[in-house]
Amino acid sequence: MLFSKKLHQFISLAKNNSIHQAAKEINITPSAVSQGLFSLEKKLGTQLLIRKNNRVTLSRDGIDLFNKIIPHVEAINTIVNKSISFNNTGKFKVLTDGFPLNDINKLFNSLNKNAGIKKIDIEYNLSTGIEREINNNIYDMIISPSNIELKNNNIIKASLKTETIGLVISKDLIRNSNIEKIISKSYFIQTPTFFKHIETEKIINKLELKGIKMNMLLINEMNIFPLLESNKGYSFFSESYFCKNNHHHNNLIFLTDPFVFF
């Protein structure tokens, strides 16, 4: 659901057709915009923009990328703008519902700079009732993996980018055993809020129906990847979160298949 700094630079370039105008819009230097674009193109392995003098136009791959991500940016903008119109405090309150999310501060700070927001308060915690918390103005926006049906027409629901959830495990651990045995014998390593989330409960319930009991290990977020790499257990993450945080842990792999016991 989240968009990196480089993607925001790309979106601004695509809309302004100018490196200097894009830099002015997002308040960074033109060279930083150019470097960000180059880095994004290198990561994706394709040319996104065609440069000519100080003007830029989208390449075919650039048009394809822009069309894929812009609906999600606009969906978030719609929710933010709607909430601001009812929020006289100047603060925009966001809850990320249990799951670790990448670059969320950068995302919201780059949106709606001229919309009158004095401060964006972001809380990383577990929602105890999305509809109730929105209705009672506890939060202006809740980002959650749960797909709930809303009865209140005053609440806007936007479907954002679907994330692939996979098993994260060390190569050494998977090499010496099968997945089902690892899940039965090793630790499921995650944060307390992740464990309490309804989506995590669904995973646990599916495994228990197959007769697989999980051993839980609750730790803080920064220690998860080192423990996984040292063969202490396994975890479940979104693919984007894994890619973002796995730069220094080359012994870890992300698996979505085969989960034959699901």
Side-chain angles (χ1 to χ4, degrees):
M1 195 279 317
L2 297 173
F3 308 99
S4 71
K5 179 170 63 177
K6 296 182 181 65
L7 278 179
H8 280 292
Q9 293 170 3
F10 165 73
I11 291 169
S12 184
L13 279 166
K15 288 182 174 181
N16 287 283
N17 297 118
S18 166
I19 291 175
H20 284 85
Q21 286 299 317
K24 184 177 180 180
E25 180 179 81
I26 57 182
N27 197 29
I28 61 175
T29 65
S31 62
V33 173
S34 297
Q35 290 170 8
L37 175 63
F38 176 77
S39 177
L40 182 61
E41 289 179 324
K42 185 177 180 181
K43 182 176 181 179
L44 298 177
T46 187
Q47 183 179 8
L48 299 174
L49 296 176
I50 300 169
R51 304 159 182 81
K52 188 175 182 180
N53 298 325
N54 288 326
R55 305 293 295 175
V56 292
T57 56
L58 290 173
S59 68
R60 182 176 297 180
D61 287 338
I63 292 172
D64 183 55
L65 176 62
F66 183 80
N67 289 336
K68 285 180 179 177
I69 62 177
I70 198 62
H72 307 304
V73 175
E74 291 174 347
I76 292 176
N77 266 314
T78 299
I79 297 173
V80 172
N81 287 326
K82 183 73 173 178
S83 297
I84 289 168
S85 65
F86 295 104
N87 186 351
N88 296 321
T89 66
K91 293 184 179 181
F92 188 73
K93 297 169 289 184
V94 180
L95 174 70
T96 64
D97 183 19
F99 280 53
L101 301 171
N102 294 329
D103 297 329
I104 192 166
N105 285 292
K106 293 179 182 178
L107 169 64
F108 284 103
N109 288 334
S110 66
L111 293 174
N112 297 284
K113 288 187 175 180
N114 299 317
I117 304 176
K118 296 178 182 177
K119 186 178 180 183
I120 300 176
D121 289 335
I122 303 169
E123 184 177 333
Y124 302 87
N125 210 333
L126 199 67
S127 172
T128 58
I130 291 176
E131 196 163 14
R132 177 186 59 81
E133 290 168 340
I134 294 291
N135 282 335
N136 294 335
N137 297 318
I138 299 172
Y139 300 104
D140 296 300
M141 177 189 288
I142 297 176
I143 303 173
S144 173
S146 299
N147 184 20
I148 67 166
E149 293 299 324
L150 299 174
K151 299 176 182 178
N152 191 328
N153 293 329
N154 292 323
I155 300 177
I156 300 174
K157 174 182 171 182
S159 297
L160 301 174
K161 179 183 176 183
T162 301
E163 289 276 17
T164 300
I165 301 296
L167 179 74
V168 178
I169 195 168
S170 76
K171 297 175 184 176
D172 294 335
L173 199 58
I174 195 67
R175 186 183 300 120
N176 299 320
S177 186
N178 62 58
I179 293 175
E180 189 168 344
K181 184 177 291 186
I182 291 168
I183 289 179
S184 299
K185 303 295 183 182
S186 302
Y187 285 109
F188 178 15
I189 304 171
Q190 254 298 349
T191 61
T193 52
F194 187 100
F195 271 124
K196 295 176 184 177
H197 199 280
I198 187 171
E199 298 303 319
T200 309
E201 290 179 357
K202 289 178 183 178
I203 295 174
I204 294 172
N205 289 338
K206 284 182 180 180
L207 292 170
E208 288 182 345
L209 286 173
K210 297 294 182 179
I212 301 172
K213 188 175 181 180
M214 305 174 81
N215 302 303
M216 315 296 187
L217 179 59
L218 305 180
I219 60 172
N220 62 51
E221 186 177 340
M222 66 181 297
N223 292 327
I224 294 178
F225 279 81
L227 278 175
L228 291 173
E229 193 166 44
S230 61
N231 303 327
K232 299 299 183 183
Y234 61 92
S235 193
F236 291 95
F237 285 114
S238 70
E239 189 170 15
S240 63
Y241 184 85
F242 173 75
C243 293
K244 176 72 176 179
N245 292 278
N246 192 43
H247 300 302
H248 304 297
H249 306 283
N250 297 325
N251 194 40
L252 297 181
I253 55 174
F254 180 87
L255 299 173
T256 58
D257 188 67
F259 292 124
V260 294
F261 43 86
F262 277 19

